[in-house]
Amino acid sequence: MAEWSLFTNHANVLLAITRNPDIRLRELAAEVGISERAVKRIVADLERAGYLQRERHGRRNHYEINADAAVATPIARGVHLGALIAALLPMLAQTL
């Protein structure tokens, strides 16, 4: 495995949720390769930043990506999250 990755764990969690909005934390952890506790913390970070919303459906969560959220980095100032995801992974653009 590489010592570093182009995408942060936050980006990987966000992209995995974009692909599967009903994914469980355990599945997210396995897909990203981090602990369930880390995934839970990242999901909370993404919610606080306004990048996603979580809604309970019975015993499960359903996540919705906020495609209109502004990306909060100096380099990508003015870019919306949906446009960034679509540029990175065009096949996910249809889900936004």
Side-chain angles (χ1 to χ4, degrees):
M1 186 162 170
E3 291 181 28
W4 63 275
S5 174
L6 186 59
F7 294 121
T8 65
N9 288 336
H10 282 67
N12 286 324
V13 166
L14 188 64
L15 292 173
I17 288 172
T18 302
R19 250 194 331 240
N20 181 1
D22 296 312
I23 194 167
R24 294 175 189 237
L25 292 179
R26 181 177 300 131
E27 296 165 339
L28 260 173
E31 190 167 329
V32 176
I34 59 177
S35 71
E36 225 175 304
R37 180 178 287 192
V39 168
K40 189 173 184 176
R41 197 169 39 246
I42 289 170
V43 167
D45 288 346
L46 294 171
E47 280 186 279
R48 272 192 303 278
Y51 292 140
L52 66 85
Q53 293 177 337
R54 178 178 40 148
E55 184 178 304
R56 290 294 282 177
H57 287 190
R59 294 180 58 200
R60 297 191 67 165
N61 288 322
H62 173 80
Y63 301 97
E64 181 138 344
I65 302 298
N66 181 3
D68 295 327
V71 177
T73 66
I75 299 294
R77 189 173 300 133
V79 175
H80 293 276
L81 183 59
L84 181 61
I85 291 172
L88 291 172
L89 298 170
M91 66 279 211
L92 294 179
Q94 299 167 352
T95 65
L96 297 176

